[in-house]
Amino acid sequence: MNNNIIKFINQNFSLAKKRLTLADVIDVEEFLFSRDPQIKLSKGELGIFEHLIKKIEVTKKVYRNYDICTWKPATNELVRVEWIQLFICYSLLLYFSTKDCKYLNAVLKLKDGILKSPIFEINLKFRIFLEEVTENEL
Amino acid sequence: MNCKNLDLIVVGDKNWPGTVVYLEYLKRNGYKIKKLMLCEFYENPSFKNRLEKIIYIISPKIYKKFCSLNTEKVSSLVKELHLEFQKFFDFSVPLDLKSVDYTDLSDCIEEYRFWNFKDPDLLKIMLKNKNSFFLYVSGGIVPKNIFDSGINLVHVHPGYVPYVKGSDGFLWSLRERGRLGYSCFFMNEYIDGGDLIFRQELNLDDFSMYRPLLKDHYSEVYRAILSGYDPHLRAQTLIKALNKNSGEFTRGSIQNTSSETGREFFSMHHKLIKKTLMDYLK
């Protein structure tokens, strides 16, 4: 299952590297862009991911920027749909590698959040992929 | 039977069977509470007709006094399972509480209507009995100003704190620790983060005969577990906490858990609820 997700990420997202700039505000798109799915998350990256997961479990949304001190959204702008897709893929990877259901809970809630959102434009290929991955597990 | 008088005021929800379950356990174990605050909560006004809506717009205070409450409609399957799941215990309480005689359960009953726990009227009434302990029967977040006022709220949470805090504790306990967990503590402004009085872990009873229902009716099963099964375990935990401390709640009886680190859980997605019930109701 992990390999399928990595394959999906490789096929659908650019793996070009970009240095993550440490600042008071985290740019989620930049954070995701800088990641290589085949390399394990570092402790710092995992910390960021954990905070994002917590926020998403409650709000069902991923904002573009978060204040690192308070973990409140720094702007009202949401992460673009293609990056939400990537976020879901990383969360699923973490779920399958740790079996920690909080990642799966966030994925399911985020998926519902996207489907209910007026900006709903998630691509069909990803929807099918997501259905298959989550339905197989559940 | 000699009763032990407790300096405990139960803040009970009139529409929640858990209130009656707590009171019955206290009575059966020889504990006499100081007072029962029997509350009806308007979490959201129901507006059953246009007149009610107009009354609410003119004056929410008048609406609170006279208008009808938002009552949850439950299916007959939930009602049946609610009683069925109480067969593991010595007595059962129906979902429909109209027939319950609260005077059997407490000598001192005061009835109130509040919007929710944020209602300033609730705080005013609690402040009149500031030196007593209050048992918080309902779920949900209590506003910080109640704790800032120095009110001692005791609560039983369905999770082994600090490892399982937050929403859907019953299910997260099963998923995370493979067993049920219950904790009795003094509440503070953090989610299930107060000073611990007593905690226990238990094995789930045999639910195997209800497994066939899960495929199509898992939400009804979970609803009935929450209203029928879970309140008994919460009340038993409260009694054990009282027995352990000779029927007194004192700040001196706190268990030190500072070396343990836990986690807060959020409400579980319905698909994960189904998976958890399928995995653990055996």
Side-chain angles (χ1 to χ4, degrees):
Chain A
M1 190 61 75
N2 293 7
N3 290 339
N4 285 346
I5 296 174
I6 291 172
K7 207 167 138 191
F8 185 88
I9 294 172
N10 285 338
Q11 282 170 356
N12 292 279
F13 301 97
S14 163
L15 290 175
K17 293 282 179 295
K18 199 176 179 186
R19 203 170 169 274
L20 177 67
T21 47
L22 288 173
D24 294 341
V25 170
I26 179 155
D27 182 326
V28 178
E29 289 186 6
E30 193 184 322
F31 170 67
L32 294 169
F33 191 68
S34 67
R35 289 278 316 130
D36 181 338
Q38 313 217 39
I39 298 170
K40 220 176 152 184
L41 285 166
S42 70
K43 208 178 165 184
E45 286 174 327
L46 189 62
I48 293 171
F49 214 91
E50 298 280 321
H51 276 105
L52 291 174
I53 284 283
K54 268 189 188 178
K55 300 297 288 185
I56 288 154
E57 275 193 87
V58 177
T59 61
K60 301 177 186 175
K61 287 174 189 166
V62 193
Y63 287 93
R64 172 85 189 254
N65 299 299
Y66 288 89
D67 184 312
I68 282 184
C69 297
T70 60
W71 285 100
K72 285 184 179 161
T75 57
N76 284 333
E77 191 188 348
L78 295 172
V79 165
R80 281 171 289 170
V81 169
E82 58 268 34
W83 297 101
I84 293 178
Q85 292 179 18
L86 188 56
F87 188 88
I88 289 176
C89 286
Y90 281 129
S91 306
L92 283 171
L93 271 177
L94 276 171
Y95 168 65
F96 287 114
S97 58
T98 61
K99 281 286 162 196
D100 189 330
C101 281
K102 73 179 168 194
Y103 300 115
L104 187 59
N105 206 37
V107 168
L108 292 167
K109 286 193 176 181
L110 188 51
K111 187 181 143 198
D112 284 2
I114 296 165
L115 295 176
K116 281 178 193 162
S117 161
I119 58 143
F120 166 66
E121 55 190 59
I122 202 158
N123 70 55
L124 184 65
K125 198 174 158 191
F126 180 72
R127 271 155 58 195
I128 294 166
F129 168 76
L130 188 60
E131 278 304 314
E132 279 173 5
V133 171
T134 49
E135 289 306 317
N136 281 349
E137 182 59 22
L138 297 167
Chain B
M1 186 179 168
N2 284 335
C3 285
K4 182 167 175 61
N5 290 316
L6 298 177
D7 189 12
L8 181 72
I9 297 172
V10 175
V11 187
D13 185 338
K14 201 176 179 181
N15 298 308
W16 182 242
T19 307
V20 184
V21 174
Y22 270 113
L23 295 170
E24 188 68 43
Y25 271 94
L26 286 163
K27 186 186 158 193
R28 284 173 182 236
N29 285 278
Y31 291 114
K32 193 176 171 186
I33 58 168
K34 185 176 173 184
K35 194 191 291 180
L36 168 63
M37 282 172 65
L38 202 50
C39 310
E40 290 185 284
F41 292 101
Y42 289 93
E43 203 56 60
N44 297 301
S46 56
F47 303 137
K48 281 188 181 151
N49 55 51
R50 196 176 282 180
L51 180 66
E52 286 195 0
K53 196 169 180 179
I54 292 167
I55 294 169
Y56 178 77
I57 292 165
I58 295 167
S59 168
K61 274 191 176 177
I62 297 173
Y63 179 89
K64 194 165 81 172
K65 267 191 176 174
F66 300 108
C67 289
S68 53
L69 281 151
N70 204 1
T71 46
E72 187 196 358
K73 281 179 190 158
V74 288
S75 68
S76 53
L77 177 63
V78 172
K79 283 179 190 167
E80 205 176 310
L81 288 173
H82 168 84
L83 291 174
E84 190 72 20
F85 294 163
Q86 293 184 74
K87 285 183 180 167
F88 297 111
F89 308 100
D90 296 338
F91 66 94
S92 60
V93 174
L95 255 183
D96 186 357
L97 299 171
K98 279 175 194 154
S99 59
V100 173
D101 183 5
Y102 285 94
T103 53
D104 271 358
L105 302 165
S106 174
D107 296 341
C108 180
I109 303 169
E110 290 173 4
E111 294 203 35
Y112 299 99
R113 284 184 160 197
F114 298 116
W115 292 116
N116 49 37
F117 253 73
K118 287 178 188 162
D119 195 322
D121 293 344
L122 175 62
L123 181 59
K124 272 182 212 163
I125 292 156
M126 287 175 123
L127 281 172
K128 283 181 192 166
N129 297 284
K130 199 180 168 183
N131 296 326
S132 298
F133 291 97
F134 290 85
L135 177 68
Y136 177 58
V137 171
S138 320
I141 293 170
V142 178
K144 192 172 173 283
N145 64 346
I146 288 190
F147 305 113
D148 291 343
S149 314
I151 285 162
N152 286 304
L153 266 182
V154 177
H155 178 58
V156 181
H157 163 70
Y160 195 73
V161 297
Y163 301 103
V164 181
K165 298 192 253 183
S167 306
D168 287 323
F170 187 93
L171 294 178
W172 284 115
S173 293
L174 288 173
R175 186 147 282 294
E176 288 294 304
R177 297 178 67 83
R179 300 181 79 192
L180 297 176
Y182 284 85
S183 308
C184 179
F185 52 84
F186 293 108
M187 294 179 88
N188 65 11
E189 71 264 37
Y190 302 107
I191 296 171
D192 302 322
D195 295 329
L196 185 68
I197 305 163
F198 175 77
R199 63 182 171 175
Q200 61 173 343
E201 284 196 295
L202 309 153
N203 290 327
L204 186 68
D205 283 295
D206 181 6
F207 278 84
S208 55
M209 65 181 288
Y210 308 107
R211 272 185 71 78
L213 284 172
L214 292 178
K215 191 170 174 276
D216 298 320
H217 302 289
Y218 74 92
S219 60
E220 286 92 338
V221 171
Y222 185 43
R223 171 69 179 77
I225 285 176
L226 291 184
S227 66
Y229 185 76
D230 168 73
H232 282 268
L233 297 181
R234 288 190 195 223
Q236 286 177 358
T237 307
L238 177 77
I239 298 300
K240 283 183 185 171
L242 281 167
N243 291 346
K244 187 185 155 221
N245 297 300
S246 316
E248 305 253 342
F249 284 125
T250 57
R251 291 276 175 185
S253 58
I254 293 162
Q255 279 188 32
N256 186 7
T257 56
S258 55
S259 60
E260 300 170 40
T261 48
R263 197 162 115 184
E264 268 172 35
F265 290 88
F266 300 102
S267 61
M268 204 181 253
H269 189 276
H270 63 93
K271 284 191 174 180
L272 199 50
I273 290 177
K274 185 175 180 181
K275 179 175 163 59
T276 306
L277 292 172
M278 296 282 253
D279 289 347
Y280 292 93
L281 256 63
K282 287 175 181 169

